[in-house]
Amino acid sequence: VSVSRAIKPFAEPGRPPDWFSQKHCASQYSELLETTETPKRKRGEKGEVVETVEDVIVRKLTAERVEELKKMIKETQEKYRQLKKDAELIQAGHMDNRLEELCNEIMMWVIYFH
């Protein structure tokens, strides 16, 4: 229960209402454990830190999330550049015939990110 409550503030838009239920969190964690290879134990001195399955999962999910965020940043930067270019063309009077279409596009962009 505490895990499902703790991660709820980090919800992405569009998640179903039961996404953070205790049952769903447990099933997702169970699936992660089943699909993650168990790290091989290393022989060595006592007290040596051995990577656990949980460590592997955290590393994997962190890497995936970093890639997702990089992709989102790149897409946002590309859209920003396009909007800035469109704004310059509008101010120069070159887009008067497309103003309504561009306004609708901008409104969709605003709605998407709010």
Side-chain angles (χ1 to χ4, degrees):
V1 177
S2 61
V3 172
S4 61
R5 268 193 227 126
I7 63 175
K8 197 168 189 170
F10 303 104
E12 297 169 347
R15 293 285 185 199
D18 67 339
W19 183 258
F20 295 101
S21 70
Q22 183 179 358
K23 184 178 177 181
H24 191 265
C25 286
S27 69
Q28 290 293 319
Y29 184 69
S30 177
E31 184 180 328
L32 279 172
L33 287 175
E34 289 172 10
T35 59
T36 303
E37 289 185 31
T38 306
K40 295 180 181 173
R41 296 196 177 262
K42 299 175 184 175
R43 294 181 188 213
E45 299 176 18
K46 288 187 176 182
E48 183 178 336
V49 177
V50 177
E51 188 173 49
T52 65
V53 175
E54 290 82 3
D55 294 333
V56 173
I57 290 171
V58 168
R59 190 171 19 88
K60 176 184 168 190
L61 293 177
T62 300
E64 287 176 6
R65 185 63 178 154
V66 166
E67 289 305 312
E68 287 173 5
L69 291 173
K70 284 180 181 179
K71 182 180 175 187
M72 287 173 59
I73 289 169
K74 184 178 179 182
E75 289 170 356
T76 303
Q77 288 172 335
E78 289 171 5
K79 188 64 179 176
Y80 171 79
R81 281 192 284 278
Q82 182 61 47
L83 290 173
K84 187 174 179 181
K85 180 181 171 186
D86 289 347
E88 290 168 357
L89 291 172
I90 289 168
Q91 288 174 344
H94 298 295
M95 302 283 279
D96 290 346
N97 58 338
R98 292 191 53 221
L99 283 178
E100 188 174 336
E101 177 187 341
L102 290 171
C103 184
N104 289 336
E105 227 178 274
I106 291 168
M107 291 304 294
M108 292 304 292
W109 178 255
V110 169
I111 291 169
Y112 177 77
F113 282 100
H114 278 73

PDB file of all heavy atoms in Angstrom, residues 99-114:
ATOM      1  N   LEU A  99      -3.724  31.365 -40.474  1.00  0.00           N
ATOM      2  CA  LEU A  99      -3.789  31.763 -39.068  1.00  0.00           C
ATOM      3  C   LEU A  99      -4.743  30.895 -38.243  1.00  0.00           C
ATOM      4  O   LEU A  99      -4.409  30.483 -37.133  1.00  0.00           O
ATOM      5  CB  LEU A  99      -4.188  33.240 -38.930  1.00  0.00           C
ATOM      6  CG  LEU A  99      -3.078  34.240 -39.229  1.00  0.00           C
ATOM      7  CD1 LEU A  99      -3.608  35.662 -39.096  1.00  0.00           C
ATOM      8  CD2 LEU A  99      -1.897  34.031 -38.313  1.00  0.00           C
ATOM      9  N   GLU A 100      -5.933  30.607 -38.776  1.00  0.00           N
ATOM     10  CA  GLU A 100      -6.897  29.800 -38.020  1.00  0.00           C
ATOM     11  C   GLU A 100      -6.360  28.387 -37.780  1.00  0.00           C
ATOM     12  O   GLU A 100      -6.444  27.857 -36.669  1.00  0.00           O
ATOM     13  CB  GLU A 100      -8.231  29.729 -38.764  1.00  0.00           C
ATOM     14  CG  GLU A 100      -9.321  29.065 -37.949  1.00  0.00           C
ATOM     15  CD  GLU A 100     -10.675  29.120 -38.630  1.00  0.00           C
ATOM     16  OE1 GLU A 100     -10.903  30.012 -39.481  1.00  0.00           O
ATOM     17  OE2 GLU A 100     -11.505  28.265 -38.292  1.00  0.00           O
ATOM     18  N   GLU A 101      -5.769  27.791 -38.792  1.00  0.00           N
ATOM     19  CA  GLU A 101      -5.189  26.442 -38.670  1.00  0.00           C
ATOM     20  C   GLU A 101      -4.068  26.425 -37.632  1.00  0.00           C
ATOM     21  O   GLU A 101      -3.998  25.541 -36.782  1.00  0.00           O
ATOM     22  CB  GLU A 101      -4.660  25.987 -40.029  1.00  0.00           C
ATOM     23  CG  GLU A 101      -3.983  24.652 -40.026  1.00  0.00           C
ATOM     24  CD  GLU A 101      -3.319  24.330 -41.358  1.00  0.00           C
ATOM     25  OE1 GLU A 101      -3.665  24.944 -42.386  1.00  0.00           O
ATOM     26  OE2 GLU A 101      -2.431  23.456 -41.355  1.00  0.00           O
ATOM     27  N   LEU A 102      -3.190  27.418 -37.680  1.00  0.00           N
ATOM     28  CA  LEU A 102      -2.087  27.498 -36.717  1.00  0.00           C
ATOM     29  C   LEU A 102      -2.588  27.740 -35.304  1.00  0.00           C
ATOM     30  O   LEU A 102      -2.049  27.182 -34.346  1.00  0.00           O
ATOM     31  CB  LEU A 102      -1.109  28.600 -37.134  1.00  0.00           C
ATOM     32  CG  LEU A 102      -0.281  28.306 -38.376  1.00  0.00           C
ATOM     33  CD1 LEU A 102       0.473  29.554 -38.806  1.00  0.00           C
ATOM     34  CD2 LEU A 102       0.668  27.161 -38.129  1.00  0.00           C
ATOM     35  N   CYS A 103      -3.612  28.546 -35.173  1.00  0.00           N
ATOM     36  CA  CYS A 103      -4.186  28.810 -33.849  1.00  0.00           C
ATOM     37  C   CYS A 103      -4.723  27.515 -33.252  1.00  0.00           C
ATOM     38  O   CYS A 103      -4.485  27.226 -32.071  1.00  0.00           O
ATOM     39  CB  CYS A 103      -5.285  29.859 -33.957  1.00  0.00           C
ATOM     40  SG  CYS A 103      -5.982  30.330 -32.368  1.00  0.00           S
ATOM     41  N   ASN A 104      -5.417  26.714 -34.054  1.00  0.00           N
ATOM     42  CA  ASN A 104      -5.942  25.425 -33.581  1.00  0.00           C
ATOM     43  C   ASN A 104      -4.802  24.488 -33.184  1.00  0.00           C
ATOM     44  O   ASN A 104      -4.889  23.778 -32.176  1.00  0.00           O
ATOM     45  CB  ASN A 104      -6.816  24.763 -34.643  1.00  0.00           C
ATOM     46  CG  ASN A 104      -8.130  25.489 -34.829  1.00  0.00           C
ATOM     47  OD1 ASN A 104      -8.605  26.178 -33.938  1.00  0.00           O
ATOM     48  ND2 ASN A 104      -8.713  25.353 -36.008  1.00  0.00           N
ATOM     49  N   GLU A 105      -3.747  24.487 -33.966  1.00  0.00           N
ATOM     50  CA  GLU A 105      -2.577  23.646 -33.665  1.00  0.00           C
ATOM     51  C   GLU A 105      -1.947  24.047 -32.330  1.00  0.00           C
ATOM     52  O   GLU A 105      -1.607  23.191 -31.507  1.00  0.00           O
ATOM     53  CB  GLU A 105      -1.534  23.814 -34.782  1.00  0.00           C
ATOM     54  CG  GLU A 105      -0.960  22.535 -35.296  1.00  0.00           C
ATOM     55  CD  GLU A 105       0.032  22.799 -36.424  1.00  0.00           C
ATOM     56  OE1 GLU A 105      -0.402  22.898 -37.580  1.00  0.00           O
ATOM     57  OE2 GLU A 105       1.237  22.917 -36.122  1.00  0.00           O
ATOM     58  N   ILE A 106      -1.807  25.342 -32.120  1.00  0.00           N
ATOM     59  CA  ILE A 106      -1.217  25.847 -30.880  1.00  0.00           C
ATOM     60  C   ILE A 106      -2.107  25.493 -29.695  1.00  0.00           C
ATOM     61  O   ILE A 106      -1.616  25.074 -28.636  1.00  0.00           O
ATOM     62  CB  ILE A 106      -0.974  27.372 -30.963  1.00  0.00           C
ATOM     63  CG1 ILE A 106       0.148  27.654 -31.977  1.00  0.00           C
ATOM     64  CG2 ILE A 106      -0.640  27.957 -29.597  1.00  0.00           C
ATOM     65  CD1 ILE A 106       0.294  29.107 -32.352  1.00  0.00           C
ATOM     66  N   MET A 107      -3.407  25.618 -29.856  1.00  0.00           N
ATOM     67  CA  MET A 107      -4.330  25.288 -28.766  1.00  0.00           C
ATOM     68  C   MET A 107      -4.231  23.791 -28.411  1.00  0.00           C
ATOM     69  O   MET A 107      -4.257  23.426 -27.241  1.00  0.00           O
ATOM     70  CB  MET A 107      -5.770  25.635 -29.136  1.00  0.00           C
ATOM     71  CG  MET A 107      -6.005  27.136 -29.224  1.00  0.00           C
ATOM     72  SD  MET A 107      -5.559  28.040 -27.726  1.00  0.00           S
ATOM     73  CE  MET A 107      -6.759  27.392 -26.603  1.00  0.00           C
ATOM     74  N   MET A 108      -4.100  22.929 -29.400  1.00  0.00           N
ATOM     75  CA  MET A 108      -3.950  21.499 -29.150  1.00  0.00           C
ATOM     76  C   MET A 108      -2.651  21.243 -28.389  1.00  0.00           C
ATOM     77  O   MET A 108      -2.586  20.406 -27.502  1.00  0.00           O
ATOM     78  CB  MET A 108      -3.973  20.701 -30.452  1.00  0.00           C
ATOM     79  CG  MET A 108      -5.323  20.708 -31.135  1.00  0.00           C
ATOM     80  SD  MET A 108      -6.661  20.108 -30.098  1.00  0.00           S
ATOM     81  CE  MET A 108      -6.223  18.399 -29.969  1.00  0.00           C
ATOM     82  N   TRP A 109      -1.601  21.953 -28.735  1.00  0.00           N
ATOM     83  CA  TRP A 109      -0.299  21.827 -28.081  1.00  0.00           C
ATOM     84  C   TRP A 109      -0.419  22.222 -26.598  1.00  0.00           C
ATOM     85  O   TRP A 109       0.074  21.538 -25.718  1.00  0.00           O
ATOM     86  CB  TRP A 109       0.703  22.700 -28.820  1.00  0.00           C
ATOM     87  CG  TRP A 109       2.075  22.722 -28.247  1.00  0.00           C
ATOM     88  CD1 TRP A 109       2.633  23.726 -27.541  1.00  0.00           C
ATOM     89  CD2 TRP A 109       3.060  21.686 -28.302  1.00  0.00           C
ATOM     90  NE1 TRP A 109       3.908  23.397 -27.164  1.00  0.00           N
ATOM     91  CE2 TRP A 109       4.196  22.151 -27.619  1.00  0.00           C
ATOM     92  CE3 TRP A 109       3.103  20.425 -28.861  1.00  0.00           C
ATOM     93  CZ2 TRP A 109       5.342  21.402 -27.479  1.00  0.00           C
ATOM     94  CZ3 TRP A 109       4.259  19.669 -28.725  1.00  0.00           C
ATOM     95  CH2 TRP A 109       5.352  20.159 -28.048  1.00  0.00           C
ATOM     96  N   VAL A 110      -1.126  23.331 -26.352  1.00  0.00           N
ATOM     97  CA  VAL A 110      -1.300  23.809 -24.988  1.00  0.00           C
ATOM     98  C   VAL A 110      -2.110  22.792 -24.171  1.00  0.00           C
ATOM     99  O   VAL A 110      -1.750  22.481 -23.034  1.00  0.00           O
ATOM    100  CB  VAL A 110      -1.987  25.202 -24.984  1.00  0.00           C
ATOM    101  CG1 VAL A 110      -2.428  25.592 -23.588  1.00  0.00           C
ATOM    102  CG2 VAL A 110      -1.061  26.258 -25.571  1.00  0.00           C
ATOM    103  N   ILE A 111      -3.178  22.282 -24.753  1.00  0.00           N
ATOM    104  CA  ILE A 111      -4.021  21.305 -24.062  1.00  0.00           C
ATOM    105  C   ILE A 111      -3.221  20.055 -23.768  1.00  0.00           C
ATOM    106  O   ILE A 111      -3.317  19.473 -22.679  1.00  0.00           O
ATOM    107  CB  ILE A 111      -5.276  20.982 -24.903  1.00  0.00           C
ATOM    108  CG1 ILE A 111      -6.197  22.201 -24.931  1.00  0.00           C
ATOM    109  CG2 ILE A 111      -6.000  19.755 -24.366  1.00  0.00           C
ATOM    110  CD1 ILE A 111      -7.332  22.095 -25.930  1.00  0.00           C
ATOM    111  N   TYR A 112      -2.404  19.611 -24.700  1.00  0.00           N
ATOM    112  CA  TYR A 112      -1.619  18.390 -24.540  1.00  0.00           C
ATOM    113  C   TYR A 112      -0.676  18.471 -23.333  1.00  0.00           C
ATOM    114  O   TYR A 112      -0.491  17.519 -22.617  1.00  0.00           O
ATOM    115  CB  TYR A 112      -0.820  18.113 -25.812  1.00  0.00           C
ATOM    116  CG  TYR A 112       0.074  16.908 -25.741  1.00  0.00           C
ATOM    117  CD1 TYR A 112      -0.446  15.627 -25.847  1.00  0.00           C
ATOM    118  CD2 TYR A 112       1.453  17.041 -25.560  1.00  0.00           C
ATOM    119  CE1 TYR A 112       0.364  14.505 -25.782  1.00  0.00           C
ATOM    120  CE2 TYR A 112       2.276  15.929 -25.487  1.00  0.00           C
ATOM    121  CZ  TYR A 112       1.725  14.664 -25.605  1.00  0.00           C
ATOM    122  OH  TYR A 112       2.535  13.561 -25.532  1.00  0.00           O
ATOM    123  N   PHE A 113      -0.077  19.623 -23.112  1.00  0.00           N
ATOM    124  CA  PHE A 113       0.902  19.762 -22.040  1.00  0.00           C
ATOM    125  C   PHE A 113       0.321  20.295 -20.737  1.00  0.00           C
ATOM    126  O   PHE A 113       1.057  20.613 -19.813  1.00  0.00           O
ATOM    127  CB  PHE A 113       2.086  20.616 -22.492  1.00  0.00           C
ATOM    128  CG  PHE A 113       3.028  19.846 -23.354  1.00  0.00           C
ATOM    129  CD1 PHE A 113       2.997  19.969 -24.735  1.00  0.00           C
ATOM    130  CD2 PHE A 113       3.909  18.959 -22.796  1.00  0.00           C
ATOM    131  CE1 PHE A 113       3.858  19.241 -25.523  1.00  0.00           C
ATOM    132  CE2 PHE A 113       4.781  18.213 -23.583  1.00  0.00           C
ATOM    133  CZ  PHE A 113       4.736  18.358 -24.948  1.00  0.00           C
ATOM    134  N   HIS A 114      -0.975  20.394 -20.647  1.00  0.00           N
ATOM    135  CA  HIS A 114      -1.579  20.804 -19.367  1.00  0.00           C
ATOM    136  C   HIS A 114      -2.415  19.738 -18.842  1.00  0.00           C
ATOM    137  O   HIS A 114      -2.696  18.816 -18.719  1.00  0.00           O
ATOM    138  CB  HIS A 114      -2.417  22.061 -19.544  1.00  0.00           C
ATOM    139  CG  HIS A 114      -1.583  23.298 -19.518  1.00  0.00           C
ATOM    140  ND1 HIS A 114      -0.757  23.662 -20.545  1.00  0.00           N
ATOM    141  CD2 HIS A 114      -1.425  24.252 -18.584  1.00  0.00           C
ATOM    142  CE1 HIS A 114      -0.153  24.785 -20.252  1.00  0.00           C
ATOM    143  NE2 HIS A 114      -0.523  25.163 -19.068  1.00  0.00           N
TER     144      HIS A 114
END
